[in-house]
Amino acid sequence: TFATLRPVTFDVRPHTIIMRIEYELKYRDYLLFNIMHQLLSVPVQLLYGGFAVLIFFSDLGDQSTCASAYLAILAYAAMWAVQLLFNAFYLLFGKNRSLLTRHAVEIKEEAFYEETKFGRSYHYWPGLAKVISRPGFIAVYINANTAHIIPSRAFSSSLQRQEFLSALKGKLSAV
């Protein structure tokens, strides 16, 4: 029912800020995030792997097992190369003005907060999907396909990065 929903107003009262990070999100950060997101995607791996297996078995009668396996691996690698090149061009020419800009993110007692000169987002902890750490970035997922990307270079040290990640995961596990 509507009675259980929070009001749609921005709360301007002072809140306890646990940690604040400011950074400029660049094209290479956005590209790295998308590459890692797709490389670790089970459906994409199944699709490309399925095509490679299909190539292996369709070529098996004409060539040796070793040659068929080599062709399948080559086809798998070629599919990823084409995908990654497509991503690089697609992201480069996309309209990402509000994404590729200066960001400030805060871990607050009650929510995750992100702000740019284009807007603000305030996500209560139960509404976040997950937090992941990958080489080069931390991603705070709002849902399965939307994330706030925080590049590793935004942190003054690997210790600060780990503290930020631990604070995020601690907040998520508490809900």
Side-chain angles (χ1 to χ4, degrees):
T1 66
F2 290 110
T4 60
L5 296 177
R6 293 181 185 264
V8 186
T9 58
F10 186 74
D11 189 357
V12 292
R13 293 176 300 168
H15 298 285
T16 304
I17 299 172
I18 296 170
M19 204 164 196
R20 177 182 174 90
I21 301 293
E22 294 183 25
Y23 59 94
E24 177 97 16
L25 191 68
K26 299 188 179 290
Y27 168 77
R28 70 178 178 268
D29 304 317
Y30 189 37
L31 180 62
L32 176 63
F33 168 77
N34 278 278
I35 288 169
M36 294 299 288
H37 185 76
Q38 288 185 344
L39 282 173
L40 297 173
S41 168
V42 173
V44 176
Q45 288 288 358
L46 288 174
L47 177 69
Y48 290 173
F51 282 137
V53 168
L54 185 64
I55 289 169
F56 172 77
F57 283 114
S58 66
D59 195 47
L60 196 54
D62 299 335
Q63 298 188 34
S64 70
T65 304
C66 188
S68 294
Y70 178 74
L71 184 61
I73 291 168
L74 190 62
Y76 179 79
M79 285 184 274
W80 273 112
V82 168
Q83 177 69 47
L84 298 178
L85 283 173
F86 172 79
N87 284 353
F89 284 107
Y90 182 77
L91 298 176
L92 183 63
F93 296 110
K95 299 202 185 297
N96 298 309
R97 182 172 61 127
S98 64
L99 178 68
L100 303 178
T101 189
R102 187 136 188 87
H103 293 252
V105 295
E106 296 176 355
I107 299 173
K108 295 187 174 198
E109 193 61 45
E110 68 286 342
F112 178 79
Y113 175 77
E114 188 260 355
E115 181 177 358
T116 70
K117 65 182 178 182
F118 298 101
R120 297 180 199 152
S121 61
Y122 197 82
H123 302 278
Y124 293 102
W125 297 112
L128 294 178
K130 64 181 175 179
V131 173
I132 62 159
S133 175
R134 299 285 182 259
F137 66 89
I138 291 173
V140 180
Y141 277 84
I142 306 310
N143 59 47
N145 298 310
T146 307
H148 293 285
I149 307 162
I150 306 161
S152 294
R153 61 183 168 68
F155 302 97
S156 61
S157 67
S158 59
L159 178 62
Q160 185 190 34
R161 183 184 189 276
Q162 187 56 47
E163 288 172 350
F164 188 83
L165 184 62
S166 295
L168 280 171
K169 289 187 173 186
K171 285 297 185 185
L172 276 181
S173 67
V175 292

